[in-house]
Amino acid sequence: MATLGDLGVGAGINILSALIFFLVFAFLRLQPLNDRVYFPKWYFKGLRESPIPSGAFVRKFVNLDFRSYLRFLDWMPAALRMPEPELIDHAGLDSAVYLRIYLIGLKIFVPIAFLAWAVLVPVNYTNITLDLEKIKNVTSSDIDKLSISNIPDKSPRLFSHIVMAYVFTVWTCYVLLKEYEIVANMRLHFLATEERRPDQYTVLVRNVPPDSDESTSELVEHFFLVNHPDHYLTHQVVYNANSLAKLVKKKKKMLNWLVYYQNKLSRSKTATRPLRKTGFLGLWGKKVDAIEHYKTEIEKLTDQIAKEKERVAHDPKSIMPAAFVSFKTQWGAAVCAQTQQSRNPTIWLTEWAPEPRDVYWPNMAVPYVQLTVKRLIMGVAFFFLTFFFMIPIAIVQSFASLEGIEKAAPFLKPIVEAKFIKSVIAGFLPGIALKLFLIFLPTILMIMAKFEGYPSKSSLERRAASRYYLFSLVNVFLGSIITGTAFEQLESFIHQSATDIPKTIGVAIPMKATFFITYIMVDGWAGIAAEILMLKPLIIYHLKNSFLVKTDKDREEAMDPGSIGFNTGEPRIQLYVLLGLVYATVTPTLLPFIIIFFGLAYVVFRHQIINVYKQEYESAAAFWPDVHGRIITALIISQLLLFGLLSTKKAAQSTPFLIALPVLTLWFHRYCKGRFEPAFKTFPLQEAMMKDTLEQARDPNLNLKGYLQSAYIHPVFKECGDEEDNESLEKSETESVIVATKRQSRRNTPAPSRMTGGSSPSMRDVELAQP
Amino acid sequence: MATLGDLGVGAGINILSALIFFLVFAFLRLQPLNDRVYFPKWYFKGLRESPIPSGAFVRKFVNLDFRSYLRFLDWMPAALRMPEPELIDHAGLDSAVYLRIYLIGLKIFVPIAFLAWAVLVPVNYTNITLDLEKIKNVTSSDIDKLSISNIPDKSPRLFSHIVMAYVFTVWTCYVLLKEYEIVANMRLHFLATEERRPDQYTVLVRNVPPDSDESTSELVEHFFLVNHPDHYLTHQVVYNANSLAKLVKKKKKMLNWLVYYQNKLSRSKTATRPLRKTGFLGLWGKKVDAIEHYKTEIEKLTDQIAKEKERVAHDPKSIMPAAFVSFKTQWGAAVCAQTQQSRNPTIWLTEWAPEPRDVYWPNMAVPYVQLTVKRLIMGVAFFFLTFFFMIPIAIVQSFASLEGIEKAAPFLKPIVEAKFIKSVIAGFLPGIALKLFLIFLPTILMIMAKFEGYPSKSSLERRAASRYYLFSLVNVFLGSIITGTAFEQLESFIHQSATDIPKTIGVAIPMKATFFITYIMVDGWAGIAAEILMLKPLIIYHLKNSFLVKTDKDREEAMDPGSIGFNTGEPRIQLYVLLGLVYATVTPTLLPFIIIFFGLAYVVFRHQIINVYKQEYESAAAFWPDVHGRIITALIISQLLLFGLLSTKKAAQSTPFLIALPVLTLWFHRYCKGRFEPAFKTFPLQEAMMKDTLEQARDPNLNLKGYLQSAYIHPVFKECGDEEDNESLEKSETESVIVATKRQSRRNTPAPSRMTGGSSPSMRDVELAQP
């Protein structure tokens, strides 16, 4: 058990290390050499050029203006200065709302901490239970004196904890309600005021049924002409362009090399044309003229790409049963996205199209049955991952031990037996398997989410985040409280009664307070301070810059700004929220540490979002219901654990008061779900109509079809740069508008109603001309 | 423990009593006097007149054709003869699909019973465990010899039960899948082919927000003209006409009396005008001329009704914030019902309008917050009702005991002490409280559902049914297996571990087989046979006929055909399904009894539906997802209990096989939910468009507005019969179409887009003329 003094030392060390990180950061960011590492966002925005001061050569790399070093914490107020609306403009709504998660942490925990210190700490401290136990040689620390452990069994003082649990719950719910309201309004405002975006007019249609008479494109066209005659505008089928993407990538690399060698030639004084070996990585083989070599290679590839494109555009097999359907009005798109199209609810599935940047192309075509099977498999896999992940790691560890290596590869014995290597293997290898697993866990979870067939990057990240949260809930939170692997916990929980589980955990909670305080300081404080240093991108950038960067474009690409990383960042915050809520009534000493974490993280991430991160997509804060739900989960867990803890304190008369809490919290959650969640899933028709009217007034002659035509073309087609090819591809799609239906049976596509429609006369005339 | 012989006797008695019921029924239904009791449906349909054969007077009351008595079971094949499509035409889809629940019972259990008897019974019977135990003086019956109890612990034979559990699960799921598909298709076909109905074009809008500038009617009009400009047709606001309904009811009664006395006068030979006392129930007070009296009373009431109607039509307070909005096309209605209208998802809530007959008028106006609060309260109340209902009953019972009565009313002591009365009170009164509670339980659950604010009778019944199922699951099924009240069970379950609960129940299951077999015979066989006798309606009809019936209209109303009673009938079937699935692997002896129940019930209810029941509404089988979900629940319960039972048999190696079953079953449920449930909640646009096209072709000059205008008027307005009054009411609503908006701020109702619309020029001109 750590004393307050121990904790103070720990805090001192961590504050010092955080300060050192900040100092190093302050020094590094002022060096022009690192400018692209610490301010990449401004480069991407085109608002900043490579800093080449007119002065001496050395100034290009080192900042000699010593005055600037004096204000080394200047970035903090600077990061806080940008107002929220400007931040939304600058970095998008996702980022701005993501920052609000840290703010919500502050809003919840600052008042709770004050109250807890004002009420609970004195109540706890003025008991002498632990002093009495000390006489009996039970060790306890000063922190425990401030916690609920210091209150004797059956004490009426325990009621103050119950009252506080109510106050904390009410306050948390109030903050959550207000915040949900604000975020929902921000989202709707954002959707209403932002510029025209293709996804506002577009719906993603999945599971287009196969048809023997018509191609997918024709089928989509006919279906929507018939069923949305007044609103349908155009559509784009989704191509399976994975092989094409590979070729394009190869060509791009070749082009890069070509530019590199051409630069080299023009700069070199000897005018000898650069040579290159044809073998693997240019290491062996015949030497050839590099520029000629790449020119011919590129020509070959261009041919191949053209052929592949032709194939993709005309081979029906490369067309996936999905399409992006665009409408004339946002009203039409809103209607189509929210309604069921076909009698069979597993075909013609419609949903709002994600932003073009946000589309995850490989997942466009997963049939419904496969989808449900895949989710089942992944659910089971995740269960095993969470509870049994220690088994494969233990196996690897056994192999990675001395004996394991000697057994598997006896010839290595003399090397392994060397003293230095022996100690490395013994002390380092077993741990590395677990560490590697934890590093790759987010990637594993992301792959699982991809396998489940979510259509957009944002939904993939949300899915991975919720799994990561569950994993850390079981393995970090419960795992730290109760010793033993997750599976052992699971087994003991199954064999315990419903009331014993909270008891088992609840009893252990006060004892683990110091552990979690240390965890918060190391992982939270120092970890956040390290985040701002961006050590990995810094090193990689400089390495790339020295060895790989051949052209200006390469330098652009060597910048690795990263993004918020919702799938790892948010579950981490949630873990702190959970700790704070659980310990608020039990050991209020923990709260200030949490508050410092949230404050620090808010400033650091605000700085990062303004200067560094580059969001890959914009989901308009679609993640908020998840955030809200997880805070509610934390709240309920904290209530159940307090319930368990109190029942061991023999305060049985208090149980009815505590049972009501989770019921009320759950009800609050359901209320919020009904009240706010639709704003994150659907788009109200009233808003759509308002926006349509505005659009109409602002830009009555807009060629919307032209605008939407190529918005959802697979990025690989755009990357090719061969614009005329794209045109032909589009044409091959759009030509079908005036092609008559080849359908013989009219079972699936009834003729359009005579009353409605009139949007595409040529098409309808053809339809009506048929008997 | 009952032997097979005991059971045989029980079965004999029950079969005999069922046969007697059938014989009595066969006799009674042939009497012309009872014609209106046993064939009311044909009277309501106008296909049958009161049977007045030309022969003797006695023939009017007694059937003297003895040949007809010989074919006394003729009604059975007659009931089965009507093909399903005709049945749907005759009794509606709800009834036809309700019958399919019995059919599904047969489809599931007949093959299961064959398999179980072919495989499990021999496997069980060829063991000698129970014989061995018999030597040790443990009593067991022949039935137990056929059950899993006869298999020794750790026997490899238990694997046959696991395999059978898989086979039964797969078979049940297969039947469920097929049935869901059939019912979904029947529903869509029914919706597509039935005649034009107002609810196809109409959407119920609830939570219309209050507005200071406009009345509800104007607000609704403007909102939908703006947001659905191409499709909006008309609307009807909902009036709070409860007081009016009371007056109309009173007037109707008076009119009845008037006709009665007028008849009396014209038939009486003395020509003395009938007199009537003015006091309570005509028992005392001044004697007046009855006909004159009623005439003046009716006149007074007519005046009052006219005034009340005026008030309701013009007092804004009597307009509830809800409306029925009708659209020009079914497509427009389908779109409106499935989309979110306003930014605030708790106002302008839209859903498909229930059938006019199905509307539950008092629930039209419950605000969203109240709704969620009410559901919370009812959730908590239902929890207490289920687990603590014995407490108030025990209190009542203590009062109803001898001592209780003597204590509460000492003056009754001499009466109570009389021997006969004493025995009645001691033996009868305590039980009557419980019996009364169980009789009123469906009513209580119905009131609870009404309090929760469901807008249609069908949804009320569905809600009450699901609660009734839960109640009987806890109190009948678990209550019979484990002794003690539900609350005691709950308490012991809370203190047991997750694996112990199925064990505790699972072990008790084989021992209760004979009890449930008896239950099935008494409640199922004899109960069903009693259902066909319609004893209560028979008695009440004849009582009413003798004493109350004054006019022909009264006789019509004295018929009480009843309806299916989904809220009590379906949970009862589900209880049998649960018993069947639970005992299929444990005690296959039970299965034939269940099969007989399903077969008998199918025939009886088919007869009743064809000849008796009069459905109050038609929800187009909207209850099927509930039915499906409850069978899945039963399946999972049976799997968990088998799991518990096997774990006490120390067949630990089998557990992994059984864990997979509920996971797979749950997954199957989710698959079915996604695949079929939308067909029961939404109406696909493709279908709507098809139907619109057909309507258009069939009847291009239909005055849809006129057709829909008064479809959703509160029934009380229609009942008044004063048609011209209705007209004025309607006009006062519809006149607002050309009234300009009084709104000053245009925040909530933006001008309609210039592109769209054009449906109601007068309105739109006014709108556009405003700046």
Side-chain angles (χ1 to χ4, degrees), chain A residues 203-206 223-224 226-228 327 332-351 748, chain B residues 331 335 338 678 682-690:
Chain A
V203 163
L204 169 59
V205 182
R206 297 213 277 170
F223 185 86
F224 285 94
V226 168
N227 292 306
H228 295 267
F327 290 83
V335 159
C336 182
Q338 292 177 48
T339 49
Q340 189 191 334
Q341 307 306 312
S342 159
R343 167 170 250 222
N344 178 346
T346 63
I347 57 171
W348 297 107
L349 296 177
T350 53
E351 58 184 307
N748 291 320
Chain B
W331 192 90
V335 160
Q338 292 178 48
T682 61
F683 190 53
L685 295 189
Q686 195 182 17
E687 294 277 309
M689 192 51 103
M690 233 147 92

Side-chain angles (χ1 to χ4, degrees), chain A residues 212-229:
Chain A
S212 53
D213 294 321
E214 292 183 314
S215 75
T216 305
S217 178
E218 288 164 336
L219 190 63
V220 170
E221 180 100 43
H222 291 164
F223 185 86
F224 285 94
L225 271 177
V226 168
N227 292 306
H228 295 267

Side-chain angles (χ1 to χ4, degrees), chain B residues 116-188:
Chain B
W117 277 85
V119 178
L120 293 182
V121 168
V123 168
N124 295 335
Y125 190 71
T126 50
N127 280 283
I128 47 163
T129 314
L130 293 177
D131 291 341
L132 285 176
E133 281 178 358
K134 237 176 210 163
I135 299 166
K136 298 184 218 143
N137 252 339
V138 177
T139 55
S140 64
S141 71
D142 302 341
I143 287 181
D144 288 338
K145 278 210 73 175
L146 303 180
S147 86
I148 204 170
S149 313
N150 200 21
I151 293 197
D153 289 357
K154 291 190 199 166
S155 163
R157 292 193 181 201
L158 289 172
F159 262 99
S160 66
H161 297 84
I162 296 175
V163 171
M164 280 297 123
Y166 268 87
V167 172
F168 296 165
T169 301
V170 169
W171 173 248
T172 310
C173 288
Y174 174 78
V175 171
L176 281 176
L177 182 73
K178 284 283 147 210
E179 205 65 16
Y180 216 149
E181 204 172 337
I182 291 168
V183 173
N185 281 330
M186 278 168 81
R187 176 181 162 94
L188 286 172

Side-chain angles (χ1 to χ4, degrees), chain B residues 349-413:
Chain B
L349 296 179
T350 52
E351 58 184 305
W352 273 108
E355 231 199 339
R357 291 181 294 167
D358 192 12
V359 177
Y360 184 71
W361 293 95
N363 272 354
M364 281 297 104
V366 188
Y368 185 79
V369 180
Q370 253 194 54
L371 210 71
T372 53
V373 174
K374 280 179 163 183
R375 297 218 169 138
L376 172 69
I377 294 172
M378 280 303 106
V380 174
F382 178 67
F383 174 83
F384 281 97
L385 183 71
T386 309
F387 287 99
F388 298 94
F389 80 96
M390 281 309 294
I391 294 176
I393 287 171
I395 293 170
V396 172
Q397 283 175 342
S398 79
F399 277 113
S401 68
L402 273 181
E403 296 78 29
I405 292 175
E406 285 176 11
K407 222 174 180 179
F411 54 89
L412 284 177
K413 202 170 175 177

Side-chain angles (χ1 to χ4, degrees), chain A residues 184-185 187-189 192 223 226-231 328-329 331 334-336 338-346 348 368-369 372-376 380 493-500 503 663-664 667 670-671 673-679 682-687 689-690 692-693 696 747-756, chain B residues 184-185 187-189 192 223 226-231 328-329 331 334-336 338-346 348 368-369 372-373 375-376 380 493-500 503 663-664 667 670-671 673-679 682-687 689-690 692-693 696-697 747-756:
Chain A
N185 280 330
R187 177 182 161 94
L188 286 172
H189 182 78
F223 185 86
V226 168
N227 292 306
H228 295 267
D230 297 342
H231 307 286
K328 282 178 201 150
T329 56
W331 192 91
V335 159
C336 182
Q338 292 177 48
T339 49
Q340 189 191 334
Q341 307 306 312
S342 159
R343 167 170 250 222
N344 178 346
T346 63
W348 297 107
Y368 186 79
V369 181
T372 53
V373 174
K374 279 179 164 187
R375 294 214 171 140
L376 171 70
V380 173
F493 285 162
I494 288 180
H495 292 107
Q496 275 179 330
S497 79
T499 46
D500 279 351
K503 263 187 213 168
V663 173
L664 287 174
W667 171 79
R670 285 192 64 175
Y671 169 76
K673 211 178 155 79
R675 173 71 184 76
F676 298 112
E677 205 174 294
T682 61
F683 191 52
L685 293 189
Q686 195 181 18
E687 293 277 310
M689 191 52 103
M690 232 148 90
D692 283 336
T693 318
Q696 192 59 27
R747 202 164 21 92
N748 291 320
T749 50
S753 146
R754 234 149 286 197
M755 258 185 88
T756 49
Chain B
N185 281 330
R187 176 181 162 94
L188 286 172
H189 182 79
F223 185 86
V226 167
N227 292 307
H228 294 267
D230 298 341
H231 309 287
K328 284 178 203 152
T329 55
W331 192 90
V335 160
C336 183
Q338 292 178 48
T339 50
Q340 189 190 337
Q341 307 306 312
S342 156
R343 177 173 241 217
N344 180 346
T346 64
W348 297 106
Y368 185 79
V369 180
T372 53
V373 174
R375 297 218 169 138
L376 172 69
V380 174
F493 285 161
I494 287 179
H495 292 108
Q496 275 179 332
S497 78
T499 45
D500 279 351
K503 264 187 213 168
V663 173
L664 287 174
W667 172 79
R670 287 193 61 177
Y671 169 77
K673 210 179 158 76
R675 173 70 184 77
F676 298 111
E677 206 175 294
T682 61
F683 190 53
L685 295 189
Q686 195 182 17
E687 294 277 309
M689 192 51 103
M690 233 147 92
D692 283 336
T693 317
Q696 191 59 24
R747 206 163 17 92
N748 291 324
T749 51
S753 148
R754 234 151 287 198
M755 257 184 89
T756 48

Side-chain angles (χ1 to χ4, degrees), chain B residues 34-99:
Chain B
N34 298 327
D35 216 48
R36 275 173 185 274
V37 177
Y38 291 114
F39 302 95
K41 193 167 187 92
W42 303 98
Y43 284 93
F44 284 112
K45 288 215 152 196
L47 294 173
R48 197 157 179 145
E49 292 292 316
S50 286
I52 312 179
S54 51
F57 179 73
V58 73
R59 282 220 176 165
K60 212 171 149 185
F61 302 103
V62 183
N63 188 339
L64 296 176
D65 182 0
F66 289 100
R67 277 162 304 166
S68 62
Y69 290 109
L70 292 176
R71 292 162 290 157
F72 76 101
L73 279 179
D74 255 16
W75 60 269
M76 280 195 177
L80 294 177
R81 213 171 288 133
M82 187 183 270
E84 195 166 45
E86 203 186 318
L87 187 70
I88 295 174
D89 252 16
H90 175 74
L93 188 66
D94 274 348
S95 307
V97 171
Y98 184 76
L99 282 177

